[in-house]
C-alpha cells in the first residue's frame, strides 16, 4: 500500500531507495571519522577519545530519514 504524500495528497508514492543509500554512505563516513578521532585522541587519553567520537557522532547526526518519494510533486517525506 502506498503512503499518502503530505504535500499534495497523492497516493502515487514510492520508497526512496536513493535516500536509504545516501543515509548508509553518510553513516559509514560519520563512523569512520569518529573511529579515527577516537583512535588518535585515545592514544593520549581514553576518556577524551571516547568523548571526541561521541561529539562527532552527535554533531553530524543527519536527522530524520525521508524514506518516501512522491511521484506527482517530486518531494521526499517520511512515513
Amino acid at each position: 500500500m502506498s503512503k499518502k504524500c503530505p504535500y499534495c495528497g497523492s497516493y502515487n508514492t514510492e520508497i526512496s531507495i536513493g535516500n536509504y543509500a545516501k543515509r548508509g554512505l553518510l553513516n559509514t563516513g560519520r563512523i569512520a571519522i569518529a573511529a579515527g578521532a577516537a583512535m588518535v585522541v585515545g592514544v593520549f587519553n581514553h576518556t577524551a577519545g571516547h568523548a571526541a567520537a561521541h561529539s562527532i557522532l552527535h554533531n553530524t547526526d543527519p536527522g530524520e530519514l525521508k524514506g518516501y518519494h512522491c511521484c506527482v510533486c517530486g518531494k521526499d517525506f517520511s512515513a
Side-chain angles (χ1 to χ4, degrees):
M1 183 170 147
S2 296
K3 299 287 182 182
K4 182 178 178 182
C5 176
Y7 301 106
C8 69
S10 172
Y11 283 96
N12 187 9
T13 61
E14 62 189 7
I15 293 175
S16 181
I17 301 299
N19 286 349
Y20 283 102
K22 287 178 195 173
R23 176 62 61 101
L25 291 172
L26 180 63
N27 282 333
T28 301
R30 290 176 57 224
I31 292 169
I33 291 170
M39 286 176 32
V40 170
V41 177
V43 168
F44 303 106
N45 185 333
H46 177 71
T47 305
H50 178 77
H54 181 269
S55 177
I56 288 170
L57 288 176
H58 178 73
N59 290 327
T60 60
D61 184 22
E64 181 182 24
L65 173 65
K66 298 187 181 213
Y68 291 90
H69 178 77
C70 180
C71 298
V72 176
C73 67
K75 295 186 178 181
D76 292 329
F77 61 95
S78 62

